[in-house]
Amino acid sequence: MESSGENPASISRPDSAPHEDCGTLKYQLLGPSLTKAGQDSVDQQKVSEIIYNASKGSKFFNHEQDRDRNLTLKIERILKEKARLERLDLTSDLRRADEYLAELELSRDLSQHVIHVDCDAFFAAVEELDRPELKTVPMAVGKGVLTTCNYVARKFGVRSGMASFVAKKLCPQLVLLPQNYDKYTAKAKEIRAIMAEYDPLFESASIDEAYLNITAYCDENHLEPGEVVERMRAEILETTKVSVSAGIAANAKIAKIASNLNKPNGQFQVPNEREAIMEFMRDLSVRKVNGIGRVFERELESIGVKKCGDIFLHRALLAKLFGEKASQFLAQCYLGLGRTKIEPVETQERKSVSTETTFHEIGDKEELRAKLWWAAQELEKDLARTQFKGRTLALKVKLHTFEVLTRQIAPSRAVSLAKDLYSFALPMLAKLEKDIPNLKLRLLGLRCSNLVSTQKVGINFFGVATQPKPATEPNSEPILVSASSANPDHEISTERAFEAAARQEIQDEMNDLEKLSQETPDVSVAPEPKASAAPEVVEAPPIMWDCPICARPQIADDRTFNEHVDFCLSKQTIRQVVQDTSEEISLIPHNARKRKTPSQTVIPEMDPKQKRLFFE
DNA sequence: GCGGATCAC
DNA sequence: TATGGTGATCCGC
C-alpha cells in the first residue's frame, strides 16, 4: 500500500469506534518480539507507521483490529470491576495476599546458580557461518513469516514473526533465506555437547535455548558463576563459532530475563541476594517476564502495573481481577522467585502431538477433504515417530477471516492411523461446513491429546531398557508416569511387562477387528471424497460409508466395512474388553542421566528416530 | 471435558 | 498479493 502522507490515526474506519484504539492496535501490529534485543536504536514510531500502512485493509489487519477492540472492551470491564472492588472492604483480600507473599518468601532458595543460555540470532548466525558475506547485510530466515533475522536487519525494525512482505517494506534490500532446520539442529547439537560439560542434566528450552544448574560445577572447580559462564561462552564461540548470551541468577525466571540484558554475546548476573533481586524486579517491566505477553501487559498497565514493583501496591485486587493462578504468578514476579529445578526435557511428559498447515483460501469441500487427509497422514507419521496414540482428537481450522475454531472428540480407543484420524475428524469438519455457510479456510490442523504410549520393550535413547507399562487398574496411578513423579525408584516387574505385551497383542487384534465406531453426529452431511484430490495428495482419501448398524462413517473398503458391521453387531461385549485392555502406559526413563563431573560426561549418539523429538 | 485465548519460540 | 507451526496452560462454561 503506497504512502499517502496522511496520519493513519486520523483515518476513519467504517463500522468501528473512532480512532482512540489506533495506538494500541499499532502496538499490537508491531508483533510480539518488540522486547527483543537489537531494537534500541529503532524509530518505533516510523516502523509502526510502515507496518500499519502495509497491513491496512487486509483480512489479517481486520482480525487484529477485532481482537484489539475486544481487548479494549475487556479492559473496560476490568476497570469497572476494579472500581467496584475498591468501594468494598478489601482488608481480607489484602491479608490473604500478604499471607501468600510471606509463605512464598519462606520458600526462597538462594543456594542454586541457574543460568539461561540463548544463542544470538541463531538461525541467522548459522547461515552466516556458511556465507560470511551475509554478516554485513540485513538478512532474515523464513518464507512467509520471518523466524529470525540478523542484527543488521533489526536496525531497520525487522523482527522475527514479521510477515516477509512487511519486512521488505521496512528494508527493501533484506536478504531472505529459506529455513534449513537440519543445519540448525546439527549446530545445536554441537553447542549442547559443550553445555553438557557444565551440567549434564541441562534443560533444552528450545532449539537455541537452555537452562543449566551450574552450582555443582562452581563448587567442584572453585569458580564463581560469572567466571564459569565466561568460560563456557568462550568455549562455545571458539568451537562452534556461534555466540551466545547468558543470564545468571538464583532461579530460572530471573536467569531468563537476565540473558536478554546483554545481548548479543554478553552475560548478566543478578546476585543471589534477596535485596539485589527485589531491586532488580522493582524497575523491571512486567513484559520482560516470561509468560506475560502483549495482552496481559495491556491489562496490567490499565490498572497501573507497569513494573514488577507495581504489583505490590495492587496485590489485594489481583486475584479477583485476573484469577488465582495469575495473581500467584504475579506475586512470584514481585518477589523474584522462580524454579531452581532444571531437568532434561526427555523426562518431561508430552501432552499432545499435532500438525497444521496454512494454505490459500479453500472453500471447495473436496479440496478441504484432501487437506484433511493430508493432515491425517502427517499426524500418523508424527504419532509413529513419537510412539503415541491419542484418546482425544481435535480438529483446528482457521477461517479466511483468521478466526480460529477447534472441535474435538474422544474416541473410545486411542487412535493413530491416518484413516482413523480422518474418519473421526471428517464429521467434525462436516459439521462446521453445515453450521458455517460458505465456509472458507486458510488453515487446517489435527491434534491428538490424552496420549497413550505405544513404546515397545527395547533400548531407549540413553541405553536404558524400557517397557510399556501394563494396563492400569481402575483406581491406580495417572496415565503417564514421569521421572519426576513421587516414586522415582518404581520398577516394572518382568511378569507385568509380559502381561502388558499379551494385552497389547489382544488390543492389536481388537484394532483390526473393531475398525472404529464412534459417536459421530451429522454424518449425512459429509460428502464422499473422490479420488480426484489435490495434486500434492499422495493417496486419495478413503471413501466413507455409513455403518447400517451404528450409522457412523466407516472406511468403505469391503473387508474393513464388513468387519466393522460384524463388530458393531457384537459391540456391547467387545467394547468392554477393549476398554479394559487399551491402556498403554509409557515408562519414561528415570536416572537416565546423572549430574557428574565434566570429564566423565558422554553425549550418547542420537537414535535418528528420536532425534526430532529430542531437539524440539 | 470442551472451546477459546494467551504465550513462547 | 501477502501474516507460521508446535506445544502448553488457563479460564469460563
Side-chain angles (χ1 to χ4, degrees):
Chain A
M1 223 149 278
E2 79 277 19
S3 167
S4 57
E6 57 196 329
N7 175 9
S10 68
I11 297 169
S12 67
R13 297 186 305 278
D15 78 349
S16 84
H19 51 258
E20 75 266 14
D21 65 346
C22 237
T24 58
L25 177 58
K26 282 187 186 176
Y27 180 72
Q28 192 81 6
L29 287 167
L30 279 174
S33 60
L34 186 63
T35 54
K36 287 284 171 73
Q39 298 290 328
D40 303 339
S41 61
V42 180
D43 180 352
Q44 293 299 346
Q45 198 69 34
K46 202 172 165 192
V47 168
S48 70
E49 294 294 289
I50 293 171
I51 298 175
Y52 185 96
N53 284 313
S55 305
K56 195 167 48 182
S58 68
K59 288 177 174 175
F60 173 79
F61 177 93
N62 291 337
H63 183 249
E64 289 299 302
Q65 209 170 23
D66 277 355
R67 288 183 43 181
D68 186 68
R69 269 199 294 270
N70 287 337
L71 180 56
T72 304
L73 291 175
K74 185 179 174 192
I75 286 174
E76 279 172 21
R77 288 198 301 273
I78 289 172
L79 290 177
K80 247 185 206 161
E81 176 68 0
K82 177 169 179 271
R84 188 185 72 82
L85 291 173
E86 278 169 339
R87 287 195 296 271
L88 305 175
D89 178 20
L90 288 171
T91 47
S92 65
D93 300 275
L94 192 61
R95 197 190 62 238
R96 226 186 334 269
D98 284 333
E99 280 170 4
Y100 186 65
L101 286 173
E103 185 190 323
L104 281 181
E105 187 58 55
L106 288 177
S107 74
R108 191 189 290 274
D109 178 3
L110 296 175
S111 68
Q112 302 297 301
H113 295 296
V114 175
I115 67 174
H116 177 253
V117 183
D118 196 343
C119 300
D120 303 320
F122 184 54
F123 293 0
V126 175
E127 295 296 344
E128 287 172 3
L129 288 181
D130 289 347
R131 296 174 58 184
E133 73 276 11
L134 294 176
K135 284 182 185 172
T136 53
V137 300
M139 180 264 282
V141 177
K143 276 218 147 40
V145 169
L146 310 184
T147 52
T148 325
C149 59
N150 66 8
Y151 280 78
V152 184
R154 292 183 195 190
K155 287 196 184 125
F156 293 85
V158 174
R159 277 178 288 270
S160 64
M162 184 176 270
S164 42
F165 79 94
V166 174
K168 280 278 190 184
K169 282 227 159 55
L170 287 166
C171 176
Q173 68 273 42
L174 183 70
V175 176
L176 281 174
L177 298 182
Q179 288 209 35
N180 193 338
Y181 210 79
D182 290 343
K183 202 157 76 176
Y184 314 143
T185 303
K187 183 55 77 175
K189 188 179 172 186
E190 291 177 35
I191 297 168
R192 285 173 179 155
I194 296 172
M195 293 195 294
E197 296 172 16
Y198 294 84
D199 179 5
L201 283 180
F202 73 92
E203 177 174 328
S204 299
S206 70
I207 190 169
D208 71 331
E209 283 182 34
Y211 292 94
L212 287 73
N213 186 326
I214 56 167
T215 315
Y217 188 94
C218 291
D219 290 347
E220 285 163 17
N221 296 279
H222 307 291
L223 290 168
E224 292 301 313
E227 297 175 291
V228 171
V229 174
E230 290 282 3
R231 197 176 285 197
M232 185 186 69
R233 289 180 40 244
E235 192 183 340
I236 291 172
L237 185 56
E238 171 74 19
T239 63
T240 72
K241 308 295 177 197
V242 169
S243 83
V244 302
S245 298
I248 310 159
N251 61 59
K253 184 185 272 145
I254 303 183
K256 167 78 182 164
I257 296 163
S259 69
N260 259 307
L261 297 181
N262 265 326
K263 251 181 175 301
N265 196 20
Q267 62 188 61
F268 188 95
Q269 179 169 15
V270 179
N272 287 23
E273 296 156 15
R274 183 177 183 276
E275 274 316 301
I277 293 169
M278 295 289 288
E279 193 182 328
F280 178 77
M281 299 309 291
R282 189 145 46 229
D283 290 322
L284 186 78
S285 161
V286 291
R287 185 67 172 83
K288 300 275 185 186
V289 179
N290 212 287
I292 299 181
R294 286 176 292 175
V295 171
F296 201 17
E297 177 193 28
R298 269 194 63 194
E299 293 174 1
L300 286 169
E301 197 249 337
S302 76
I303 65 157
V305 175
K306 283 187 90 78
K307 295 170 173 177
C308 291
D310 302 333
I311 291 165
F312 186 75
L313 250 182
H314 300 80
R315 64 195 184 287
L317 291 170
L318 297 176
K320 286 195 166 126
L321 291 180
F322 302 116
E324 201 63 28
K325 294 274 180 188
S327 72
Q328 293 180 353
F329 179 78
L330 291 170
Q332 292 184 42
C333 292
Y334 169 71
L335 294 171
L337 299 177
R339 69 190 172 98
T340 55
K341 185 177 174 190
I342 306 301
E343 55 183 359
V345 279
E346 310 84 60
T347 66
Q348 295 164 27
E349 95 191 29
R350 180 190 272 271
K351 306 263 177 32
S352 69
V353 180
S354 69
T355 178
E356 65 185 60
T357 32
T358 294
F359 35 75
H360 64 276
E361 271 177 28
I362 296 180
D364 180 79
K365 292 190 171 184
E366 296 212 354
E367 239 185 299
L368 287 177
R369 273 146 191 73
K371 292 293 181 192
L372 182 63
W373 177 237
W374 186 83
Q377 291 177 98
E378 285 299 299
L379 189 53
E380 176 185 321
K381 283 185 232 163
D382 289 344
L383 287 166
R385 177 173 55 77
T386 55
Q387 301 189 289
F388 282 108
K389 291 181 177 185
R391 282 204 166 84
T392 301
L393 176 66
L395 172 75
K396 171 179 173 179
V397 299
K398 195 185 278 180
L399 310 185
H400 66 113
T401 57
F402 284 84
E403 186 184 357
V404 174
L405 304 174
T406 60
R407 295 292 181 268
Q408 69 180 47
I409 56 159
S412 64
R413 237 179 356 84
V415 286
S416 64
L417 299 178
K419 61 178 177 28
D420 295 338
L421 298 167
Y422 181 86
S423 305
F424 285 120
L426 182 56
M428 296 193 279
L429 176 61
K431 177 138 173 51
L432 285 173
E433 284 170 338
K434 189 186 147 208
D435 294 345
I436 303 175
N438 241 325
L439 184 81
K440 283 205 290 279
L441 302 186
R442 70 183 327 277
L443 173 147
L444 191 150
L446 289 175
R447 183 180 73 246
C448 272
S449 53
N450 247 308
L451 297 182
V452 170
S453 174
T454 57
Q455 205 174 7
K456 297 285 190 280
V457 177
I459 303 301
N460 77 349
F461 173 72
F462 295 104
V464 174
T466 61
Q467 302 154 344
K469 194 181 167 187
T472 46
E473 307 306 324
N475 294 323
S476 71
E477 299 291 308
I479 289 177
L480 292 167
V481 179
S482 79
S484 60
S485 70
N487 184 2
D489 289 323
H490 177 70
E491 294 289 347
I492 308 293
S493 75
T494 316
E495 287 85 349
R496 294 193 73 193
F498 276 117
E499 266 178 55
R503 291 184 205 199
Q504 174 69 53
E505 275 186 50
I506 292 169
Q507 192 203 329
D508 286 345
E509 279 182 57
M510 290 297 175
N511 289 351
D512 289 337
L513 184 66
E514 185 187 11
K515 293 301 172 195
L516 293 168
S517 65
Q518 292 314 313
E519 20 317 270
T520 49
D522 219 16
V523 289
S524 56
V525 180
E528 293 173 2
K530 301 265 167 32
S532 62
E536 72 266 33
V537 174
V538 184
E539 198 184 325
I543 307 297
M544 307 300 292
W545 285 350
D546 292 349
C547 168
I549 309 300
C550 68
R552 292 161 183 150
Q554 305 299 324
I555 305 283
D557 102 70
D558 280 347
R559 193 181 59 87
T560 311
F561 187 78
N562 292 339
E563 278 172 0
H564 165 79
V565 177
D566 287 344
F567 166 75
C568 223
L569 289 167
S570 59
K571 190 161 57 178
Q572 297 312 325
T573 49
I574 295 179
R575 168 74 58 85
Q576 193 54 46
V577 180
V578 168
Q579 281 187 342
D580 288 345
T581 57
S582 65
E583 303 268 346
E584 303 167 52
I585 308 299
S586 83
L587 175 65
I588 295 173
H590 57 266
N591 298 335
R593 286 197 284 172
K594 286 200 165 31
R595 269 181 233 274
K596 49 190 171 186
T597 53
S599 56
Q600 301 172 305
T601 305
V602 179
I603 304 298
E605 200 41 53
M606 193 84 59
D607 172 354
K609 275 185 212 149
Q610 302 219 1
K611 196 169 173 180
R612 265 190 66 192
L613 173 61
F614 180 67
F615 277 106
E616 268 164 12

